Amino acid sequence: MHYILFYKAVENYIEKRAPYREEHLKLIESFYSQGDLLMAGALDDPATGGAFIFKGDSTEKAEEFANKDPYVKNGLITEWEVRPWTVVIGS
C-alpha cells in the first residue's frame, strides 16, 4: 500500500527553513535508504508545503517521519496529514 504525507507550511517557509534543512534532508535520506520513502519534494508556485510518498503496510512510517522532522518540530509545518493512496498503474 502507498501513503502520501502532505505538509502545509508557514508563509515564506523556503526562507525560514535554512537552519533545519540539512537535518531535514538527512531524515529524508534515512527513510529513503530503508525503502520506506519512495519520493519527496516541495510543492511549488506557490511554495506552500510538500508531499512524500511512502510504501508500507500502514501509516506508521509516514507518521514517524513527520514526528521526527525538524520542519514540523520547529513550527515550519502548520498541518500534516497522511492519506492512503490507491495506485492503479506504476510500481
Side-chain angles (χ1 to χ4, degrees):
M1 185 73 170
H2 290 85
Y3 299 90
I4 303 177
L5 169 61
F6 292 101
Y7 274 3
K8 182 177 179 184
V10 297
E11 193 170 316
N12 299 322
Y13 97 99
I14 297 294
E15 293 83 12
K16 296 175 182 177
R17 71 184 179 184
Y20 316 107
R21 184 132 174 87
E22 187 176 333
E23 185 182 352
H24 172 75
L25 294 175
K26 284 181 182 177
L27 184 65
I28 287 173
E29 181 57 40
S30 72
F31 276 75
Y32 181 77
S33 66
Q34 294 171 24
D36 299 313
L37 179 62
L38 303 179
M39 301 171 82
L43 300 173
D44 198 9
D45 200 18
T48 56
F52 306 80
I53 310 287
F54 287 84
K55 186 172 184 177
D57 296 327
S58 72
T59 62
E60 182 181 355
K61 290 296 181 177
E63 292 170 356
E64 178 185 344
F65 178 92
N67 287 315
K68 288 182 175 182
D69 192 348
Y71 288 5
V72 173
K73 289 187 200 179
N74 290 285
L76 298 179
I77 303 305
T78 59
E79 295 177 36
W80 60 268
E81 176 185 26
V82 179
R83 299 282 311 269
W85 184 34
T86 304
V87 177
V88 295
I89 193 167
S91 54

